[in-house]
Amino acid sequence: MPNPTPNPLTAHWRSEFPGLERSVYMNTCSLGQLSRRSMDGMQRFQEQWLSYGASAWYELWLGEMADARARFARLINAQPHEIAILPSVGVALSVIGSSLDFSARPEVVVTEMDFPTIPYQWMARGEDGAELRLLASPDRVQVPLESFAQAIGPRTGLVATTHVFFTSGWIQDIAAIARLAHDAGAFCLVDGYQAAGQIPVDVKAADVDVYISGGLKWLLGGPGIVFLYVREDLIPQLHPTTTGWFAAKDMFKFNPERFEMAEDARRFEPGTPAVAAVYAANAGLSIIEEIGVEAIRARTAELDADLIRRLRGAGLEPRLPADMARHAGIVMLPVDDPSAAVKALKERGIIIDYRPGSLRLSPYFYNTEAENQALVDRIAEVL
Ligand SMILES: Cc1ncc(COP(=O)(O)O)c(C=O)c1O
């Protein structure tokens, strides 16, 4: 399947990602490529550290954090004061978990397709009264909405699930899940790590209470930073006990006698962030913003469809949903020994990863059809 005309979006952006010259990189769902813009951002951070010392905090770094919050807010149709910066999803969940009261409504509904850090959080809160309700997936692709409807009830305090599943690329109907949660009087928290950046996200339209995503993957920002959205009117109702001085209303008063929490989402920020990560993430977000998520979604869907066609052409059958409009970015290919295949592919200059029983392939807008073909050829070879 020759593709002589390079896609203009891909052709325009490829040189921004020098790592693409070093390998065929099909692993954005684990870690997005490092851009020149993020490298420049981290370099700028170092220069500021060198020349300003601690005053960089007040003069520059707090401003960079505010910029990053505002950029992420625009991306998901939220407001900057609804966004907190934290180091990982696990920490964001811990902060939210520490502000919930499980006494009247102990049940937390999650699915077996969610990233394990989601169920782990509520398992670890068993002593606080949390009871985990784990929904099964019949096909390892999706979890039927009816399962949520059946599970959510008067004992449910929280539905904590995912926007795009990390081992199937299935896009959950988070608006419908939030509706089910709210109708039962429960909150709805969504892990959007595999969604934000690669598909449009509108937290207001979906009416979710909490939405979390981060730099690592489709936002091209690297490790060390996640963004936590909490719905404006919910913020004053939550009083996290996992906390610190960044959560104080006036942190620079350094008042040890009185702890008044910030009225905005800063109350969910426990302490000093990894500032280099903020610079890298801000640069990644600026690229996403410049291209536009609709254009990214269209190009990535095109590459996914092309990859699937080529895999099938080579006699390989990926595990996919029937409804491809609900699929985003992650193509699972069941194989006998995925870890050996990933290793053999790495030796051939192809970077992918695996999850139990399957290879995980994730082209992004910066990949090409020629790379899809190289990936399929090498997979056929190593299998
Ligand atoms: C869906 C999803 N959630 C969360 C994470 C990571 O969570 P944390 O930031 O706690 O490492 C990942 C991948 O690393 C993921 O794919």
Side-chain angles (χ1 to χ4, degrees):
M1 272 171 276
N3 185 58
T5 323
N7 176 276
L9 192 161
T10 302
H12 179 80
W13 284 97
R14 258 183 93 78
S15 59
E16 178 65 30
F17 301 94
L20 297 172
E21 285 162 23
R22 301 186 184 189
S23 61
V24 171
Y25 191 82
M26 294 284 184
N27 201 9
T28 298
C29 68
S30 285
L31 177 64
Q33 276 285 312
L34 175 60
S35 66
R36 293 186 192 280
R37 218 180 271 192
S38 288
M39 286 192 275
D40 290 348
M42 288 186 283
Q43 180 70 35
R44 216 167 45 252
F45 157 70
Q46 289 180 25
E47 278 154 16
Q48 292 168 355
W49 183 359
L50 277 176
S51 39
Y52 286 73
S55 69
W57 263 116
Y58 314 104
E59 292 180 41
L60 301 159
W61 293 347
L62 290 173
E64 188 76 14
M65 288 177 71
D67 264 12
R69 288 194 204 93
R71 277 217 168 87
F72 182 73
R74 285 199 291 276
L75 188 77
I76 63 166
N77 190 29
Q79 304 170 78
H81 65 266
E82 295 172 304
I83 308 296
I85 290 178
L86 293 118
S88 70
V89 175
V91 174
L93 290 173
S94 301
V95 172
I96 293 296
S98 80
S99 62
L100 297 178
D101 175 6
F102 299 100
S103 57
R105 288 171 164 265
E107 242 173 45
V108 182
V109 174
V110 310
T111 85
E112 65 176 2
M113 296 295 289
D114 296 318
F115 195 76
T117 205
I118 303 277
Y120 292 170
Q121 178 63 219
W122 319 111
M123 285 173 192
R125 287 191 184 275
E127 281 186 14
D128 296 344
E131 291 172 20
L132 193 75
R133 180 92 182 254
L134 191 68
L135 305 185
S137 165
D139 53 6
R140 292 164 65 213
V141 171
Q142 47 111 25
V143 176
L145 204 53
E146 303 81 68
S147 303
F148 284 95
Q150 280 162 18
I152 297 169
R155 295 186 78 248
T156 311
L158 177 71
V159 180
T161 189
T162 307
H163 199 171
V164 171
F165 286 140
F166 78 113
T167 51
S168 71
W170 174 255
I171 306 170
Q172 291 214 99
D173 185 349
I174 55 170
I177 294 169
R179 210 172 309 122
L180 288 169
H182 293 161
D183 286 351
F187 293 127
C188 178
L189 175 152
V190 175
D191 172 1
Y193 222 145
Q194 297 289 359
Q198 72 144 335
I199 61 166
V201 178
D202 184 335
V203 288
K204 300 295 174 193
D207 194 25
V208 297
D209 302 297
V210 178
Y211 193 94
I212 306 167
S213 191
L216 214 51
K217 305 161 192 296
W218 310 95
L219 293 181
L220 306 173
I225 181 165
V226 306
F227 298 98
L228 167 68
Y229 158 82
V230 180
R231 184 164 54 78
E232 186 177 36
D233 52 317
L234 186 58
I235 296 171
Q237 296 175 45
L238 300 179
H239 298 91
T241 57
T242 297
T243 189
W245 72 301
F246 264 62
K249 187 171 179 180
D250 192 346
M251 60 192 277
F252 294 113
K253 272 199 178 145
F254 301 100
N255 181 355
E257 284 162 13
R258 188 170 141 73
F259 180 25
E260 199 181 344
M261 283 194 170
E263 281 156 15
D264 61 12
R266 270 200 314 105
R267 75 166 54 196
F268 306 107
E269 293 180 355
T272 307
V275 181
V278 176
Y279 275 76
N282 219 351
L285 279 166
S286 77
I287 292 175
I288 302 293
E289 205 169 23
E290 210 170 304
I291 302 173
V293 176
E294 300 282 351
I296 290 176
R297 167 68 173 150
R299 175 61 183 146
T300 305
E302 188 176 85
L303 281 164
D304 281 347
D306 176 82
L307 175 61
I308 292 160
R309 255 194 323 274
R310 291 175 199 266
L311 285 167
R312 287 182 175 147
L316 300 163
E317 196 46 56
R319 187 174 67 236
L320 293 164
D323 179 2
M324 285 301 285
R326 302 282 299 279
H327 175 264
I330 299 172
V331 177
M332 302 302 285
L333 182 67
V335 300
D336 286 340
D337 188 349
S339 111
V342 166
K343 195 160 166 276
L345 286 162
K346 185 160 182 262
E347 283 157 12
R348 290 161 175 77
I350 308 265
I351 309 293
I352 58 163
D353 80 349
Y354 69 98
R355 290 295 175 264
S358 296
L359 299 180
R360 199 165 69 141
L361 322 172
S362 55
Y364 206 20
F365 66 86
Y366 41 55
N367 290 118
T368 65
E369 282 77 0
E371 289 178 317
N372 274 350
Q373 188 59 51
L375 171 64
V376 172
D377 289 347
R378 297 291 91 76
I379 290 176
E381 194 178 298
V382 306
L383 293 183

